[in-house]
Amino acid sequence: MNVVFIAAECAPFAKVGGLADVVSSLPPVLVERGHDVRVVLPHHGIIDDARFKIEHLDSFEMMWAGGTARIDVSFTRYNGVRVYFVKGWPYITGSESFVYDANEGVNVGRYLFFSAAALAFINRRADMERWRPDVLHAHDWHTGMVPFLAAKLYPVESALRTAAVVFSIHNMQYQGWGVGWHLDHAGLPPVDNHLLAATGKNDNCLAVGLAYSTMVSTVSPSYAEEILSSEGAHGLDGVILTRRSRMRGILNGIDPVRWNPASEGVLEAPFDAERLDEKARNKAAIQRVLGLPVKTGLPLVGIITRLVDQKGPEIMVPALRHMLYHAEMQVISLGSGDPHWEHEFWKIGSDYPSKAIAYLGFDEVLAEQIYAASDLFLMPSKFEPCGLGQMIAMRYGALPVVHAVGGLRDSVPSDVGFLFNGFHYNDVITVLTEALDMYYNRPRFFRQRQKRAMSLDFSWGRSAKAYEDLYTQAVDYHHQYLN
Ligand code: ADP
């Protein structure tokens, strides 16, 4: 099958969160299974062209705002996947130092432009190569306009119209409001879907993606259920319910080569389930580097997260303060985001200098070192579409302490991690206390859990098959619609 991923992020080129990991790790698995999968990304200014041997491939003019915009496309191959990078003035000039601007209005214009340019490029490439995509696979609100634009701008016989569109939701919370103004400004047709108009959602990129795509998926079976409620759908439950029969929940995987505690590289002491004792050397190394007392007998709690409300800082902060006051443990957190939460974490570090350190920022090397050094991994998300942090943590023998929602519930077995149901800091305190009790008083059980965690398979195998089925269904539905 010929599939084109269209997305805002892809590791290692440009990463903000789990979306980048998915867009990076699923395509190579599908290629190995015999499909032609390509990826189209914005040519963000933060992408290191020299490092990834990204070279200019093509330029063309696209109709835009009553005139034309020049689009430049560059190319590289990564893990056997063709990756294209789209650039064009004024939205993606190659000099922006962000993936997402802090201003939603700028983002909506920018990603509408990207979606239009990506489609124009795919259409052009299809003609040039006499190649046709079977499926356009769009991800999150940034590419929510893809199915609408493909349907409205291209003639029935074009490569884009014969392709089905699969729209994957990685997070319902981010929706991209205000696209109507940008469509008008760009000289593009208005969204004319009656249901969206009736519910006041025709200005919302995520809703448009839901309404116009052939099939919809989200990133875990539990989240697929949770977003049927108004709270879970962040107000789009009406739209979701109309697409329910076309929706699937497929758990994300991780790349077991990228996330491998046994590989030489950034870890002080590579290890696996048979050499679990080596984990302590990684703990000592990070304690030394970050300036905590080097005590490998102390349980270390790791936190690696975007510091936003979704990830549960409101219950994490009071629970950590309570635990640090009462228990013998250490905490290392790595994250950036909301300045309020950055400050709260920083204050924990400064109030408990010998027990906690808050590293504010985004650092992939440090992240891997924390996964490897930690005994426990705290992720009490309020809601969690899938979550990759807990899967990576288990691969490195750090037992997840998680709120049992969404992908956390679907991926953390109760005989491996420590799960809680309420969303209150007392729930975090209760399970963390239970985990520390096992660490100190039943170390053999704790170790067995770590070994079990490390033996779990989070690779893409099963989910890649589920995506193949999804693509096949989408192609069938789309051809029924065309005929
Ligand atoms: P989300 O996509 O909602 O941010 P996920 O758990 O799905 O959450 O994915 C987060 C990914 O980003 C993981 O690979 C995690 O290791 C990484 N990550 C999150 N915060 C940081 C950070 N501050 N520095 C480095 N990596 C981070």
Side-chain angles (χ1 to χ4, degrees), residues 46 155 245 276 349 438:
I46 54 168
S245 65
L276 205 46
M438 187 179 288

Side-chain angles (χ1 to χ4, degrees), residues 15-19 21 171 259 304-306 310-311 334-336 361-364 367 371 379 384 386-390 392:
K15 169 167 169 173
V16 175
L19 171 63
D21 293 315
N171 195 325
W259 299 108
I304 299 167
T305 188
R306 290 182 296 120
Q310 180 204 333
K311 302 295 179 178
L334 166 64
S336 58
F362 189 92
D363 186 329
E364 294 211 65
Y371 286 122
M379 194 163 169
E384 192 54 76
C386 177
L388 300 177
Q390 80 283 8
I392 302 169

